[in-house]
Amino acid sequence: MQEIPVYLFLGFLESGKTKFIQETLEDERFDSGERTLLLVLEEGEEEYDHSRFANPSYAVEYLDIGQMTESGLAALVRKYSAERVVVEYNGMCELQKFFDAMPDGWAIAQVMTFFDATTFLTYNKNMRQLVYDKVQYADMVVFNRFRGEYSQEEFHKIIRGMSRRPGIVYEYLGGKAVYDEIVDPLPYDIDAPVIEIADRDYAFFYRDLVEETEKYRGKTVRFKGLVAVDKSMKKGTIVIGRHIMTCCEADIAYSGLVCHHKSDLAFKTRDWVMVTARIDIMYHSIYGQKGPVLSASEIAYCAPPEQELATFY
């Protein structure tokens, strides 16, 4: 089966998606000969000018979200013999609807998210789940209509609280584009003999450990966590973690690490413990793949932290 690369352009109305896609399809550097289907799942005020596309064979289809099905999308690819797909997605719909409808063989090649800087803070305050939905998979986040009086640090902090994956670009009125180069230091010393993870920093630690696992190989950490156990676990094996809220209450999830220990204490689910442990990277059946496994040198009961829910704020 031929793989169909999919280029996703996300954002709310008037965020600059259509303008960027128009300019992209006009650019001969984007035209490498593939038959391209532009799938528009949101109809804004700005329309596409087909006559200016670099390749006259580019096809455009407008589709309501409610009409989007796996068989329907596959039929469009067959109709136009498309070899790649460009999608302008409806900002008010969660991405999972699109992922669920993707036919076999479609593969996400790139995700770009656009925000109107003049309305972004309001959207983030009132529709944070939808904002997070458009950031978590993004390779690049672009803030259009950025003004000199705006704080790059404020916008940067919101995006980095959701994901460290995307690059960030501030496009100022007048056309000047500035790439975000703000450095985010970790809130703990990763080179310390024992890395002390404060209660407020567990979410940062867990995300960094998952994203850059290898740099923690052989490191020793100390943190407070919530125990989870299961009858299927061998003696001396527990999971230690915290409930993390990335965006809002709907996405709260227990994020834990497998821990081997030699303590005689009978740990139970929902016990709070303080653990000091070396991090090894190895396969474990609980993960079903390689991952960080703690080997505890010290572990003991402790009081819960003042705020049991870990966040990025």
Side-chain angles (χ1 to χ4, degrees):
M1 182 181 294
Q2 179 185 0
E3 184 175 279
I4 305 294
V6 179
Y7 296 84
L8 270 172
F9 295 87
L10 313 176
F12 301 107
L13 278 172
E14 304 303 307
S15 61
K17 300 190 302 293
T18 304
K19 179 176 182 291
F20 187 88
I21 295 171
Q22 176 75 42
E23 292 173 351
T24 299
L25 297 184
E26 290 176 13
D27 193 336
E28 293 183 354
R29 292 172 296 179
F30 188 72
D31 176 27
S32 50
E34 299 103 323
R35 290 183 294 275
T36 300
L37 168 63
L38 170 58
L39 187 60
V40 183
L41 297 169
E42 176 180 68
E43 192 167 353
E45 294 183 4
E46 195 167 344
E47 296 184 355
Y48 288 100
D49 185 348
H50 303 203
S51 66
R52 296 175 62 182
F53 289 168
N55 190 327
S57 70
Y58 289 168
V60 182
E61 279 280 348
Y62 291 84
L63 197 66
D64 290 334
I65 289 289
Q67 299 173 308
M68 184 177 61
T69 63
E70 182 176 350
S71 59
L73 297 181
L76 288 175
V77 168
R78 291 194 299 270
K79 176 181 178 180
Y80 296 106
S81 300
E83 297 172 295
R84 67 178 175 180
V85 177
V86 176
V87 179
E88 179 179 357
Y89 198 67
N90 190 317
M92 299 305 293
C93 295
E94 293 191 351
L95 266 174
Q96 192 60 48
K97 291 184 179 180
F98 179 76
F99 295 151
D100 290 341
M102 281 177 55
D104 290 340
W106 285 31
I108 302 298
Q110 188 176 37
V111 180
M112 293 190 67
T113 297
F114 297 81
F115 292 113
D116 180 344
T118 64
T119 58
F120 172 72
L121 297 179
T122 300
Y123 272 101
N124 184 60
K125 180 179 179 180
N126 298 314
M127 294 189 293
R128 186 171 180 81
Q129 180 63 35
L130 283 173
V131 172
Y132 172 70
D133 182 62
K134 304 305 177 292
V135 171
Q136 62 177 326
Y137 301 107
D139 299 298
M140 180 72 70
V141 171
V142 179
F143 288 107
N144 285 309
R145 305 181 185 94
F146 207 79
R147 300 174 182 270
E149 64 267 26
Y150 294 165
S151 166
Q152 288 186 10
E153 288 79 6
E154 182 178 11
F155 286 69
H156 169 98
K157 184 177 180 180
I158 292 171
I159 297 300
R160 286 292 174 258
M162 300 178 185
S163 174
R164 293 198 307 170
R165 175 178 178 176
I168 304 173
V169 174
Y170 308 97
E171 188 161 317
Y172 286 79
L173 294 171
K176 182 180 74 170
V178 177
Y179 190 82
D180 187 306
E181 295 182 344
I182 299 172
V183 177
D184 292 297
L186 291 170
Y188 47 82
D189 182 2
I190 195 171
D191 294 318
V194 177
I195 304 171
E196 300 281 354
I197 310 299
D199 292 342
R200 66 179 180 275
D201 296 332
Y202 182 82
F204 293 96
F205 162 67
Y206 184 84
R207 182 176 66 183
D208 197 59
L209 175 60
V210 170
E211 292 179 352
E212 300 189 49
T213 305
E214 280 297 325
K215 78 180 185 184
Y216 286 88
R217 184 188 290 273
K219 299 285 187 179
T220 298
V221 295
R222 181 182 293 121
F223 66 90
K224 184 179 293 187
L226 189 65
V227 171
V229 296
D230 185 88
K231 292 180 179 178
S232 64
M233 293 180 184
K234 295 180 180 179
K235 182 180 179 181
T237 300
I238 59 175
V239 173
I240 305 176
R242 297 275 298 274
H243 287 92
I244 296 177
M245 182 174 71
T246 303
C247 167
C248 56
E249 289 186 2
D251 69 16
I252 294 174
Y254 179 75
S255 302
L257 304 170
V258 176
C259 177
H260 296 315
H261 67 90
K262 297 181 180 179
S263 173
D264 293 327
L265 297 173
F267 297 115
K268 304 183 302 296
T269 296
R270 302 202 66 82
D271 284 339
W272 283 94
V273 297
M274 179 69 77
V275 62
T276 303
R278 186 186 73 250
I279 299 175
D280 297 309
I281 312 303
M282 62 178 69
Y283 175 87
H284 200 284
S285 58
I286 290 178
Y287 299 138
Q289 60 184 10
K290 277 189 174 182
V293 176
L294 304 178
S295 295
S297 56
E298 297 178 21
I299 186 168
Y301 296 119
C302 68
E306 286 188 19
Q307 179 176 310
E308 295 189 17
L309 182 64
T311 72
F312 293 96
Y313 306 99

